[in-house]
Amino acid sequence: MGKLTAQAIAERALEVGDTEGIDAVTIRRLATDLGVTPMALYWHYKNKEQLLIGMADHLIGGFAPKPADERPWQEQLRDLVEGLIRTLRTHPCAKNVIEQIDPVTVPNFLAVWEQALRLASSAGFGVEESCLITKYILQSSIAIADAPVHMEAGDRDEMVRVKRLGLQSLPVEKYPYLVEMACPMVGGLDPGLYDTFGVDLVLSGIEALAARR
Amino acid sequence: MGKLTAQAIAERALEVGDTEGIDAVTIRRLATDLGVTPMALYWHYKNKEQLLIGMADHLIGGFAPKPADERPWQEQLRDLVEGLIRTLRTHPCAKNVIEQIDPVTVPNFLAVWEQALRLASSAGFGVEESCLITKYILQSSIAIADAPVHMEAGDRDEMVRVKRLGLQSLPVEKYPYLVEMACPMVGGLDPGLYDTFGVDLVLSGIEALAARR
DNA sequence: ACCTGAACACCGTTCAAGT
DNA sequence: ACCTGAACACCGTTCAAGT
């Protein structure tokens, strides 16, 4: 087994978070997993918040935004959004990690943010508008990446089944659409929709507004 | 002082969450605030998750979506998004509450969701697309509502000042845009941008895709 | 129906001490 | 530099008991 290092801790934390949920990511739990005393972790991270930041940093580090090139900003922005969605989808707990920290404090996130601001700028948006747009890009990417995808037949869908039954048992005269769409709503979504419809949805709003100026 | 009731508990929880942050919302803290034993709350809510659901329900209950009318779906959707953003902005902890629960379990949220699905449907989107869109609407509304607004001079901006200084001290040759936009980024945003640019941003993506079919 | 009391299993974190 | 041990102040929650 490898040495105890900040990197190793963050990686184990991501494993636990991805497989058992973010609530299972606990200083004490990680310590026993790594065969060490809880206080040992405090040498590598000042506190739990810093550990979460480390997790986020490791997460975003997985996809380095490509350097600026000569293509139109629309294509570069599409690359960025697709990359974001992809890393969000490969790490189920990414959403929860990002929600619990301030992106400004995550080193690797700064590069992504810088790139987004640059692209918004070349699209012709002003300073304040660009700030809103970068927030919008992150959040809507989360929305797309987080949508429930269709699972294999034998997969662990007990929770999904319960939720679907809950939706389907609603008064159909009051919630006709919810009842009808219960299936795709809680876990029957076509994965291909992410890469086409989802990305289009995020991008077309920006492009439409950019075209107005 | 009023009687201890599920409603009163949820209201106090929202007060605490809005003023002191979601982490201050604790069974034991609420109990002492309400002059009662911690276990008393367990009579009204099965556990903390149910309390969070109660908070979200009370939150969304504040804005009841108007019944279907004869206007074009674009206008109705704009009403919905504006209402959502407004309630999100009046309750600083709304974002955190919504992040910690499953919207499907919040009664008042079902009505909003049903309306969104109905509007997506009249826009011509299919079942799975509509599901993605409703997720998108919620998340991007959060992004818009959560953007930092310009604060009064005397306001509690110590944290903001620190963050801004942190951004401005970045290597300007590596992060030129971040450094330049540090001010609006962390708390100098024009509030009017929410109601115009922000809402437009969310809606125009949907409208652009709807126009394609 | 509604609330209390005591107890349990868990947290994050500090602080002094070891090597 | 890196880790341990003991202790502290907090959690959410169960269970039996009171009125």
mmCIF file of all heavy atoms in Angstrom, chain A residues 131-156:
data_model
loop_
_atom_site.group_PDB
_atom_site.id
_atom_site.type_symbol
_atom_site.label_atom_id
_atom_site.label_comp_id
_atom_site.label_asym_id
_atom_site.label_seq_id
_atom_site.Cartn_x
_atom_site.Cartn_y
_atom_site.Cartn_z
ATOM 1 N N CYS A 131 -19.854 37.045 -16.143
ATOM 2 C CA CYS A 131 -19.866 36.381 -14.846
ATOM 3 C C CYS A 131 -21.114 35.533 -14.678
ATOM 4 O O CYS A 131 -21.059 34.376 -14.248
ATOM 5 C CB CYS A 131 -19.799 37.419 -13.720
ATOM 6 S SG CYS A 131 -18.258 38.309 -13.662
ATOM 7 N N LEU A 132 -22.251 36.103 -15.036
ATOM 8 C CA LEU A 132 -23.507 35.345 -14.964
ATOM 9 C C LEU A 132 -23.434 34.118 -15.851
ATOM 10 O O LEU A 132 -23.879 33.029 -15.488
ATOM 11 C CB LEU A 132 -24.680 36.234 -15.408
ATOM 12 C CG LEU A 132 -25.604 36.752 -14.321
ATOM 13 C CD1 LEU A 132 -26.840 37.391 -14.927
ATOM 14 C CD2 LEU A 132 -25.991 35.643 -13.370
ATOM 15 N N ILE A 133 -22.854 34.274 -17.020
ATOM 16 C CA ILE A 133 -22.798 33.176 -17.979
ATOM 17 C C ILE A 133 -21.953 32.021 -17.464
ATOM 18 O O ILE A 133 -22.324 30.857 -17.612
ATOM 19 C CB ILE A 133 -22.263 33.682 -19.334
ATOM 20 C CG1 ILE A 133 -23.357 34.491 -20.042
ATOM 21 C CG2 ILE A 133 -21.811 32.529 -20.214
ATOM 22 C CD1 ILE A 133 -23.001 34.917 -21.439
ATOM 23 N N THR A 134 -20.831 32.336 -16.831
ATOM 24 C CA THR A 134 -20.001 31.236 -16.329
ATOM 25 C C THR A 134 -20.729 30.460 -15.234
ATOM 26 O O THR A 134 -20.652 29.237 -15.172
ATOM 27 C CB THR A 134 -18.662 31.760 -15.790
ATOM 28 O OG1 THR A 134 -18.905 32.766 -14.810
ATOM 29 C CG2 THR A 134 -17.839 32.360 -16.904
ATOM 30 N N LYS A 135 -21.429 31.166 -14.368
ATOM 31 C CA LYS A 135 -22.238 30.478 -13.353
ATOM 32 C C LYS A 135 -23.288 29.606 -14.032
ATOM 33 O O LYS A 135 -23.533 28.457 -13.637
ATOM 34 C CB LYS A 135 -22.937 31.500 -12.455
ATOM 35 C CG LYS A 135 -22.003 32.201 -11.505
ATOM 36 C CD LYS A 135 -22.572 32.180 -10.093
ATOM 37 C CE LYS A 135 -21.537 32.614 -9.079
ATOM 38 N NZ LYS A 135 -21.812 32.049 -7.750
ATOM 39 N N TYR A 136 -23.902 30.180 -15.042
ATOM 40 C CA TYR A 136 -24.935 29.462 -15.781
ATOM 41 C C TYR A 136 -24.378 28.206 -16.428
ATOM 42 O O TYR A 136 -24.997 27.138 -16.389
ATOM 43 C CB TYR A 136 -25.518 30.410 -16.832
ATOM 44 C CG TYR A 136 -26.296 29.751 -17.933
ATOM 45 C CD1 TYR A 136 -27.639 29.438 -17.759
ATOM 46 C CD2 TYR A 136 -25.704 29.469 -19.167
ATOM 47 C CE1 TYR A 136 -28.358 28.840 -18.772
ATOM 48 C CE2 TYR A 136 -26.417 28.882 -20.179
ATOM 49 C CZ TYR A 136 -27.743 28.567 -19.985
ATOM 50 O OH TYR A 136 -28.452 27.982 -20.988
ATOM 51 N N ILE A 137 -23.208 28.294 -17.004
ATOM 52 C CA ILE A 137 -22.601 27.140 -17.663
ATOM 53 C C ILE A 137 -22.374 26.007 -16.671
ATOM 54 O O ILE A 137 -22.740 24.852 -16.928
ATOM 55 C CB ILE A 137 -21.260 27.539 -18.315
ATOM 56 C CG1 ILE A 137 -21.510 28.423 -19.530
ATOM 57 C CG2 ILE A 137 -20.464 26.305 -18.716
ATOM 58 C CD1 ILE A 137 -20.242 28.962 -20.168
ATOM 59 N N LEU A 138 -21.814 26.325 -15.531
ATOM 60 C CA LEU A 138 -21.550 25.283 -14.541
ATOM 61 C C LEU A 138 -22.830 24.628 -14.056
ATOM 62 O O LEU A 138 -22.967 23.404 -14.061
ATOM 63 C CB LEU A 138 -20.793 25.877 -13.349
ATOM 64 C CG LEU A 138 -20.522 24.885 -12.222
ATOM 65 C CD1 LEU A 138 -19.689 23.716 -12.719
ATOM 66 C CD2 LEU A 138 -19.854 25.556 -11.041
ATOM 67 N N GLN A 139 -23.797 25.448 -13.672
ATOM 68 C CA GLN A 139 -25.023 24.894 -13.100
ATOM 69 C C GLN A 139 -25.827 24.094 -14.112
ATOM 70 O O GLN A 139 -26.353 23.026 -13.799
ATOM 71 C CB GLN A 139 -25.897 26.011 -12.536
ATOM 72 C CG GLN A 139 -25.418 26.586 -11.236
ATOM 73 C CD GLN A 139 -25.583 25.627 -10.062
ATOM 74 O OE1 GLN A 139 -24.601 25.161 -9.516
ATOM 75 N NE2 GLN A 139 -26.823 25.324 -9.698
ATOM 76 N N SER A 140 -25.926 24.607 -15.329
ATOM 77 C CA SER A 140 -26.736 23.865 -16.291
ATOM 78 C C SER A 140 -26.010 22.612 -16.752
ATOM 79 O O SER A 140 -26.642 21.597 -17.060
ATOM 80 C CB SER A 140 -27.139 24.751 -17.472
ATOM 81 O OG SER A 140 -26.048 25.507 -17.925
ATOM 82 N N SER A 141 -24.689 22.633 -16.746
ATOM 83 C CA SER A 141 -23.953 21.397 -17.027
ATOM 84 C C SER A 141 -24.260 20.357 -15.957
ATOM 85 O O SER A 141 -24.430 19.170 -16.242
ATOM 86 C CB SER A 141 -22.451 21.663 -17.065
ATOM 87 O OG SER A 141 -22.124 22.497 -18.158
ATOM 88 N N ILE A 142 -24.333 20.806 -14.721
ATOM 89 C CA ILE A 142 -24.706 19.903 -13.637
ATOM 90 C C ILE A 142 -26.084 19.322 -13.886
ATOM 91 O O ILE A 142 -26.314 18.121 -13.714
ATOM 92 C CB ILE A 142 -24.669 20.639 -12.280
ATOM 93 C CG1 ILE A 142 -23.229 20.942 -11.895
ATOM 94 C CG2 ILE A 142 -25.352 19.825 -11.205
ATOM 95 C CD1 ILE A 142 -23.078 21.668 -10.575
ATOM 96 N N ALA A 143 -27.010 20.177 -14.291
ATOM 97 C CA ALA A 143 -28.373 19.714 -14.545
ATOM 98 C C ALA A 143 -28.378 18.617 -15.597
ATOM 99 O O ALA A 143 -29.023 17.572 -15.429
ATOM 100 C CB ALA A 143 -29.258 20.878 -15.001
ATOM 101 N N ILE A 144 -27.659 18.829 -16.678
ATOM 102 C CA ILE A 144 -27.637 17.849 -17.761
ATOM 103 C C ILE A 144 -26.948 16.569 -17.303
ATOM 104 O O ILE A 144 -27.460 15.459 -17.489
ATOM 105 C CB ILE A 144 -26.902 18.425 -18.991
ATOM 106 C CG1 ILE A 144 -27.544 19.746 -19.421
ATOM 107 C CG2 ILE A 144 -26.903 17.421 -20.129
ATOM 108 C CD1 ILE A 144 -28.981 19.652 -19.775
ATOM 109 N N ALA A 145 -25.793 16.727 -16.675
ATOM 110 C CA ALA A 145 -25.020 15.544 -16.273
ATOM 111 C C ALA A 145 -25.734 14.741 -15.200
ATOM 112 O O ALA A 145 -25.567 13.523 -15.103
ATOM 113 C CB ALA A 145 -23.644 15.968 -15.766
ATOM 114 N N ASP A 146 -26.541 15.413 -14.414
ATOM 115 C CA ASP A 146 -27.157 14.761 -13.268
ATOM 116 C C ASP A 146 -28.468 14.064 -13.615
ATOM 117 O O ASP A 146 -29.003 13.303 -12.810
ATOM 118 C CB ASP A 146 -27.423 15.793 -12.171
ATOM 119 C CG ASP A 146 -28.002 15.157 -10.938
ATOM 120 O OD1 ASP A 146 -27.374 14.202 -10.450
ATOM 121 O OD2 ASP A 146 -29.064 15.598 -10.485
ATOM 122 N N ALA A 147 -28.979 14.307 -14.794
ATOM 123 C CA ALA A 147 -30.249 13.677 -15.166
ATOM 124 C C ALA A 147 -30.107 12.161 -15.108
ATOM 125 O O ALA A 147 -29.047 11.615 -15.398
ATOM 126 C CB ALA A 147 -30.648 14.125 -16.560
ATOM 127 N N PRO A 148 -31.148 11.490 -14.687
ATOM 128 C CA PRO A 148 -31.079 10.050 -14.485
ATOM 129 C C PRO A 148 -30.964 9.318 -15.807
ATOM 130 O O PRO A 148 -31.740 9.565 -16.723
ATOM 131 C CB PRO A 148 -32.416 9.741 -13.811
ATOM 132 C CG PRO A 148 -33.337 10.793 -14.306
ATOM 133 C CD PRO A 148 -32.502 12.022 -14.481
ATOM 134 N N VAL A 149 -30.011 8.430 -15.919
ATOM 135 C CA VAL A 149 -29.862 7.699 -17.177
ATOM 136 C C VAL A 149 -30.482 6.321 -17.060
ATOM 137 O O VAL A 149 -30.635 5.772 -15.977
ATOM 138 C CB VAL A 149 -28.370 7.590 -17.598
ATOM 139 C CG1 VAL A 149 -27.486 8.278 -16.592
ATOM 140 C CG2 VAL A 149 -27.926 6.180 -17.790
ATOM 141 N N HIS A 150 -30.839 5.800 -18.176
ATOM 142 C CA HIS A 150 -31.461 4.475 -18.220
ATOM 143 C C HIS A 150 -30.500 3.423 -17.702
ATOM 144 O O HIS A 150 -29.365 3.351 -18.121
ATOM 145 C CB HIS A 150 -31.858 4.141 -19.658
ATOM 146 C CG HIS A 150 -32.536 2.825 -19.781
ATOM 147 N ND1 HIS A 150 -33.788 2.590 -19.249
ATOM 148 C CD2 HIS A 150 -32.154 1.670 -20.341
ATOM 149 C CE1 HIS A 150 -34.139 1.355 -19.496
ATOM 150 N NE2 HIS A 150 -33.163 0.756 -20.166
ATOM 151 N N MET A 151 -30.975 2.615 -16.767
ATOM 152 C CA MET A 151 -30.087 1.633 -16.154
ATOM 153 C C MET A 151 -30.312 0.234 -16.731
ATOM 154 O O MET A 151 -31.360 -0.086 -17.266
ATOM 155 C CB MET A 151 -30.320 1.600 -14.642
ATOM 156 C CG MET A 151 -29.924 2.901 -13.955
ATOM 157 S SD MET A 151 -30.247 2.880 -12.195
ATOM 158 C CE MET A 151 -29.559 4.465 -11.690
ATOM 159 N N GLU A 152 -29.316 -0.609 -16.579
ATOM 160 C CA GLU A 152 -29.427 -2.010 -17.001
ATOM 161 C C GLU A 152 -30.537 -2.680 -16.195
ATOM 162 O O GLU A 152 -30.876 -2.251 -15.106
ATOM 163 C CB GLU A 152 -28.105 -2.740 -16.748
ATOM 164 C CG GLU A 152 -26.878 -1.917 -17.054
ATOM 165 C CD GLU A 152 -26.807 -1.499 -18.503
ATOM 166 O OE1 GLU A 152 -27.143 -2.324 -19.360
ATOM 167 O OE2 GLU A 152 -26.445 -0.345 -18.789
ATOM 168 N N ALA A 153 -31.048 -3.766 -16.748
ATOM 169 C CA ALA A 153 -32.160 -4.463 -16.110
ATOM 170 C C ALA A 153 -31.779 -4.938 -14.705
ATOM 171 O O ALA A 153 -32.536 -4.785 -13.754
ATOM 172 C CB ALA A 153 -32.587 -5.649 -16.963
ATOM 173 N N GLY A 154 -30.582 -5.496 -14.589
ATOM 174 C CA GLY A 154 -30.205 -6.074 -13.312
ATOM 175 C C GLY A 154 -29.602 -5.080 -12.351
ATOM 176 O O GLY A 154 -29.154 -5.449 -11.281
ATOM 177 N N ASP A 155 -29.622 -3.834 -12.727
ATOM 178 C CA ASP A 155 -28.935 -2.847 -11.908
ATOM 179 C C ASP A 155 -29.698 -2.545 -10.616
ATOM 180 O O ASP A 155 -30.842 -2.894 -10.443
ATOM 181 C CB ASP A 155 -28.724 -1.558 -12.703
ATOM 182 C CG ASP A 155 -27.272 -1.135 -12.674
ATOM 183 O OD1 ASP A 155 -26.546 -1.675 -11.832
ATOM 184 O OD2 ASP A 155 -26.881 -0.294 -13.484
ATOM 185 N N ARG A 156 -29.026 -1.894 -9.756
ATOM 186 C CA ARG A 156 -29.575 -1.574 -8.439
ATOM 187 C C ARG A 156 -30.605 -0.450 -8.570
ATOM 188 O O ARG A 156 -30.328 0.696 -8.313
ATOM 189 C CB ARG A 156 -28.450 -1.147 -7.517
ATOM 190 C CG ARG A 156 -27.378 -0.281 -8.215
ATOM 191 C CD ARG A 156 -26.300 0.137 -7.283
ATOM 192 N NE ARG A 156 -26.793 0.776 -6.088
ATOM 193 C CZ ARG A 156 -27.377 1.957 -6.052
ATOM 194 N NH1 ARG A 156 -27.580 2.626 -7.164
ATOM 195 N NH2 ARG A 156 -27.771 2.459 -4.912
#
